[in-house]
């Protein structure tokens, strides 16, 4: 039987499903398996900074850059893998608000009795949007931040919030909710998720090969199935 190399990785919840699918493909092609732990991005970054023995880390691009600056990710190892948009959802069976434009989304937000959002970059961007609209103070008592690792969709399904915002990939497969779709283009929140080789990695060539595969065009179909886009493809399109 051929030798199998095992790499240990840590990621935020947003990329858990797509990384698991891609890792299965890479195992078949290259004999390298990825043992992945997924949790809230803030907690994942803390564990890497604490020096735990991970080979790879998958987080928002800014978080990977910060880990590289602190010496916990190898300089130059970061690769952008996917871009993920924030979508909007309501509990299953609830009235479906119009979110097609910035104005209608704002009306839906102001009408919601409880608004769920996540930790991490998407949550920061959402509260910044509410501040730009001039309604953050008005909404403060209605905002419910999901604990790290808890999907906003779970809060919706349990009736704890009436309107929820989270990465599309984290809402796609959940029951008990109605997914309305991404936020309108004029206020879209899109996060680039990247991978980096940890300073603690003792199998650097294998880790770099896995990242190269995860960023390759061969993975585009899997990323789309998980509600994401290929980071490089979108960046090239933006500069056409």
């Amino acid at each position: 039987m051929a030798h199998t190399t095992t790499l240990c990785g840590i990621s935020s919840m947003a990329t858990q499903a797509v990384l698991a699918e891609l890792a299965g493909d890479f195992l078949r092609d290259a004999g390298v398996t990825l043992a992945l732990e997924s949790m809230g991005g803030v907690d994942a970054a803390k564990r890497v900074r604490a020096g735990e023995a991970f080979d790879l880390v998958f987080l928002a691009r800014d978080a990977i850059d910060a880990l590289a600056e602190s010496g916990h990710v190898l300089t130059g190892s970061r690769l952008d893998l996917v871009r993920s948009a924030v979508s909007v959802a309501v509990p299953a069976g609830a009235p479906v608000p119009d979110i097609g434009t910035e104005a209608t989304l704002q009306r839906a937000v102001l009408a919601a009795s409880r608004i769920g959002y996540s930790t991490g970059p998407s949550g920061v961007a959402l509260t910044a949007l509410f501040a730009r609209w001039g309604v953050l103070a008005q909404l403060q008592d209605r905002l419910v931040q999901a604990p790290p690792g808890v999907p906003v969709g779970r809060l919706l399904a349990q009736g704890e919030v009436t309107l929820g915002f989270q990465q599309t990939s984290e809402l796609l497969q959940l029951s008990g909710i109605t997914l309305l779709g991404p936020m309108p283009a004029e206020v879209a929140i899109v996060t680039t998720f990247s991978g980096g080789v940890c300073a603690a990695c003792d199998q650097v060539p294998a880790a770099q090969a896995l990242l190269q595969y995860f960023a390759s065009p061969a993975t585009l179909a899997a990323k789309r199935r998980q509600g994401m886009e290929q980071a490089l493809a979108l960046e090239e399109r933006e500069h056409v």
Side-chain angles (χ1 to χ4, degrees):
M1 183 176 176
H3 174 69
T4 299
T5 298
T6 299
L7 299 172
C8 294
I10 189 168
S11 79
S12 60
M13 298 300 296
T15 55
Q16 180 183 26
V18 69
L19 293 176
E21 182 172 350
L22 296 180
D25 294 340
F26 194 66
L27 172 61
R28 287 191 296 272
D29 292 344
V32 175
T33 189
L34 176 66
L36 183 69
E37 289 189 57
S38 298
M39 63 203 65
V42 173
D43 289 337
K46 285 180 180 177
R47 290 181 62 181
V48 174
R49 285 197 299 272
E52 290 195 41
F54 293 106
D55 298 301
L56 291 155
V57 56
F58 305 91
L59 293 170
R61 179 165 57 188
D62 290 350
I64 296 289
D65 286 344
L67 289 171
E69 289 175 9
S70 65
H72 295 93
V73 163
L74 297 181
T75 301
S77 71
R78 190 203 83 206
L79 279 180
D80 296 336
L81 305 179
V82 293
R83 290 186 59 173
S84 178
V86 169
S87 280
V88 189
V90 296
V96 175
D98 180 3
I99 62 159
T101 67
E102 180 175 3
T104 59
L105 177 63
Q106 185 173 355
R107 284 198 291 271
V109 166
L110 291 174
S113 60
R114 301 279 280 174
I115 301 161
Y117 70 108
S118 66
T119 58
S122 66
V124 172
L126 187 69
T127 54
L129 174 63
F130 294 162
R132 181 167 68 78
W133 284 347
V135 300
L136 183 58
Q138 179 182 344
L139 296 174
Q140 204 64 57
D141 292 340
R142 290 185 265 161
L143 294 177
V144 179
Q145 188 174 55
V150 175
V152 171
R154 187 184 303 173
L155 303 184
L156 287 164
Q158 294 173 346
E160 297 180 39
V161 298
T162 57
L163 189 72
F165 295 80
Q166 196 161 42
Q167 302 290 340
T168 306
S169 60
E170 295 187 70
L171 295 169
L172 272 179
Q173 307 302 327
L174 294 180
S175 59
I177 70 171
T178 299
L179 183 60
L180 307 183
M183 297 169 66
E186 57 266 42
V187 290
I189 297 173
V190 181
T191 301
T192 298
F193 288 95
S194 307
V197 179
C198 295
C201 179
D202 60 2
Q203 303 181 88
V204 172
Q208 290 175 327
L210 184 142
L211 283 184
Q212 290 286 349
Y213 173 73
F214 281 7
S216 73
T219 63
L220 181 56
K223 291 169 182 175
R224 287 177 172 164
R225 280 195 296 273
Q226 300 294 342
M228 297 180 168
E229 290 284 354
Q230 175 80 302
L232 291 177
L234 279 184
E235 288 172 5
E236 289 167 359
R237 201 179 310 154
E238 289 169 356
H239 291 90
V240 170

